[in-house]
Amino acid sequence: MRPEQMRSGTDVAYDDVNELIATATRLMQKDAAPDTLTPDDVRKIGEELDIPARYVDQALEALARRREEQAREAQVQERHARLRRVRLRRSAWVGAAVLGLLAVSGLVVRNGLTSTLSDVARQRAQVRNVVERRESLRARQDTLTPGLSRDAELSGADNRVAIEQRRYDERAADYNASAASFPTGWVVRLTGLPHVLPLSSEVSTW
């Protein structure tokens, strides 16, 4: 029910009177009481309570000092909180920069490993090529005229295989050394690249 309806003549129950009077009293006291008191007001209250003015002044000074200390503490806390926020933002920036640097570095390392791996694969194909040529030559050596020319051709085929295998071993060894180093080893694990490549002595078929 709205107040204007009650003012227009609606009766108030006896049970509600005490609550209404108490509420009205609180509202009156709130309007009558000032939010703050002046030092003179406090001194007058002290006089009414038989408290000498010098004690009231000392209490006022103590209150002022306490308020100043509280204000300084609040400023210090705000400054510390501001510094913490700055440090957190700085840490976030540094973390983001480090993650970005790691990502870029990882990409560069992976590209380098992939390039080396491609070189190894090309050299392995070259070894397979000269091995197949040598096997083809051996398969038809009985049809060749015996002599220095045939022996030189067979020896040359063996030499070409040995040379290409040595080149393969050099590239494979470079890859293995790089893949085993830090932090390249982590990139190898994360990207699924081979941890180690076999050398020519460990290859059964090319």
Side-chain angles (χ1 to χ4, degrees):
M1 182 178 296
R2 294 191 298 274
E4 59 269 18
Q5 290 178 324
M6 297 188 68
R7 287 198 298 269
S8 63
T10 303
D11 295 334
V12 177
Y14 281 105
D15 293 340
D16 296 331
V17 171
N18 289 337
E19 181 182 353
L20 289 171
I21 295 301
T23 301
T25 301
R26 285 195 302 272
L27 293 172
M28 180 181 68
Q29 290 174 346
K30 183 177 180 181
D31 288 341
D35 293 335
T36 58
L37 296 174
T38 65
D40 289 338
D41 293 333
V42 176
R43 292 188 188 95
K44 290 178 182 178
I45 294 174
E47 289 177 2
E48 294 175 359
L49 298 174
D50 294 328
I51 299 174
R54 67 177 183 275
Y55 294 118
V56 174
D57 291 339
Q58 292 174 4
L60 289 171
E61 292 174 359
L63 176 62
R65 287 194 298 271
R66 188 166 67 252
R67 292 288 172 80
E68 290 177 358
E69 291 175 359
Q70 291 174 346
R72 284 195 296 270
E73 289 176 0
Q75 291 176 352
V76 170
Q77 291 176 356
E78 174 59 26
R79 186 161 55 250
H80 289 169
R82 189 163 55 248
L83 288 175
R84 283 195 297 270
R85 291 193 294 270
V86 170
R87 291 193 189 101
L88 287 174
R89 286 196 296 268
R90 188 176 301 161
S91 298
W93 294 337
V94 171
V98 169
L99 287 176
L101 181 60
L102 288 175
V104 172
S105 300
L107 184 60
V108 171
V109 170
R110 183 183 183 280
N111 289 341
L113 286 172
T114 302
S115 178
T116 303
L117 195 59
S118 297
D119 289 341
V120 174
R122 284 193 295 270
Q123 186 57 39
R124 180 163 181 158
Q126 181 63 21
V127 174
R128 183 167 56 249
N129 183 40
V130 295
V131 167
E132 290 175 352
R133 289 183 181 179
R134 184 184 64 181
E135 295 305 319
S136 176
L137 179 61
R138 285 179 177 177
R140 58 186 179 85
Q141 67 178 337
D142 293 338
T143 64
L144 298 176
T145 303
L148 294 177
S149 178
R150 185 188 70 173
D151 294 342
E153 192 172 356
L154 290 173
S155 177
D158 289 336
N159 288 336
R160 282 190 293 275
V161 170
I163 291 172
E164 297 301 336
Q165 285 180 335
R166 185 171 64 250
R167 291 174 178 170
Y168 166 83
D169 286 340
E170 290 173 354
R171 287 165 173 74
D174 288 343
Y175 177 88
N176 292 341
S178 180
S181 65
F182 179 84
T184 307
W186 288 102
V187 177
V188 170
R189 293 184 183 90
L190 293 174
T191 57
L193 293 172
H195 291 193
V196 63
L197 297 177
L199 300 180
S200 60
S201 59
E202 301 168 329
V203 177
S204 57
T205 58
W206 294 96

